[in-house]
Amino acid sequence: MRLRSRRRRPTVRVTQHGDPGDDDLLFVLGWGNKPGHRSVEWLLDRLTYEGYHVHAVELPTNGWEFERQYVSPVRAYAVDRDIDLVLSHSTGGLVAAHLDLAVRNVFVSPWWGTAVSGLATLFLPLISRLPTTKAVVPSGISRDDLGELKLAAELADAPDNASPAFLRMIRGAQESLPPFSSDDVVFVSLSDRVVDVRAIGDRTPAANLVPYDGGHEFFASEGRERTLSTVLDALDGADASSLRVNGADAPDSADGTEPPRPTD
């Protein structure tokens, strides 16, 4: 008798937000982010207010086949709807980089390398070789790493651990990134402790890189209003050099806004 695998097949989920008559924007979310999270919801609301019909892609958190379970479903969705503008964050940035579509990409804190230090540099490669999809490796991601406005409830709703198979898959995707497109723009926080900032810098020409002030999730950081303004300019076609002049990393108080405070 042949036994069926008990592994749950990872599923990509897409929700649509805004007026279907507006310009389509594919937004590929990061690991553990969901459209219902307060900080993500804030960003979706702002994008739709600015005239985008947003297709928010929620990625599975424990896959093991990058092309089949992540890239192919997202690519097919974008092609079917003739979407030519993509915003992505973290793991979403890794997926978006592999889509191989004639689109303009705006990457925010893309997971093109993993930030590790200390003993983790020795043990993580060894743990990643274990032949299991069971999530046993602590993510080590804290609320402070993501942003000051990140709600504790949002963090609790995200996975605490990742599987060796998932980490092995991610490393393979990072090592096989396609050439960088000169039309793309990359936003990065130099204080990001979740992704490897050096890996982003190694892949991205200086002319295409825009620094911002905040945590790994700019939409959960106090300076999110200013950063969003610059991200919107990038989505509208501005090049990175003009965006740096505008100053995505300038203090948010410069434009007279007061950032909202989280409530748990």
Side-chain angles (χ1 to χ4, degrees):
M1 181 176 65
R2 187 175 180 180
L3 297 177
R4 293 183 178 180
S5 172
R6 293 185 178 181
R7 292 191 299 184
R8 179 177 295 179
R9 180 65 58 179
T11 303
V12 170
R13 295 181 174 86
V14 183
T15 54
Q16 297 186 22
H17 309 261
D19 188 340
D22 288 340
D23 293 336
D24 287 307
L25 171 65
L26 189 73
F27 179 24
V28 192
L29 304 179
W31 189 70
N33 283 143
K34 299 178 181 179
H37 288 170
R38 182 82 62 83
S39 54
V40 178
E41 193 174 43
W42 173 87
L43 180 54
L44 291 172
D45 286 346
R46 294 300 303 272
L47 290 170
T48 57
Y49 177 80
E50 294 295 332
Y52 288 106
H53 179 222
V54 183
H55 304 254
V57 180
E58 182 183 342
L59 298 172
T61 58
N62 194 25
W64 55 91
E65 294 180 354
F66 191 69
E67 176 65 31
R68 188 153 70 97
Q69 298 169 349
Y70 290 78
V71 177
S72 289
V74 178
R75 182 192 294 123
Y77 184 93
V79 170
D80 286 347
R81 291 155 182 82
D82 198 26
I83 295 175
D84 61 3
L85 186 60
V86 179
L87 174 66
S88 59
H89 171 254
S90 196
T91 312
L94 183 60
V95 172
H98 279 271
L99 291 180
D100 192 27
L101 298 174
V103 301
R104 177 177 175 84
N105 277 288
V106 176
F107 299 100
V108 181
S109 307
W111 193 11
W112 293 342
T114 302
V116 292
S117 60
L119 293 177
T121 59
L122 299 175
F123 291 121
L124 190 59
L126 298 175
I127 294 173
S128 299
R129 297 177 187 173
L130 296 175
T132 178
T133 58
K134 187 174 182 179
V136 295
V137 184
S139 71
I141 299 174
S142 71
R143 188 179 178 184
D144 290 339
D145 294 334
L146 300 176
E148 305 90 343
L149 306 181
K150 187 72 173 180
L151 298 181
E154 293 177 22
L155 190 62
D157 192 40
D160 293 323
N161 302 320
S163 74
F166 175 79
L167 295 174
R168 187 166 58 250
M169 175 196 74
I170 291 296
R171 184 170 183 177
Q174 292 168 343
E175 292 175 347
S176 60
L177 280 163
F180 187 87
S181 171
S182 60
D183 291 332
D184 294 342
V185 177
V186 180
F187 287 79
V188 61
S189 169
L190 300 182
S191 61
D192 198 320
R193 296 187 294 273
V194 176
V195 299
D196 185 355
V197 174
R198 181 174 179 176
I200 297 173
D202 286 345
R203 183 168 187 267
T204 310
N208 299 74
L209 201 60
V210 182
Y212 73 87
D213 184 32
H216 178 62
E217 296 181 354
F218 89 83
F219 43 90
S221 299
E222 289 187 343
R224 63 186 185 180
E225 289 285 355
R226 179 171 293 276
T227 304
L228 175 62
S229 176
T230 315
V231 168
L232 290 170
D233 287 342
L235 290 172
D236 200 36
D239 58 52
S241 60
S242 65
L243 299 175
R244 288 195 299 274
V245 170
N246 290 338
D249 59 346
D252 199 51
S253 58
D255 62 3
T257 62
E258 182 173 344
R261 299 291 176 178
T263 56
D264 293 337

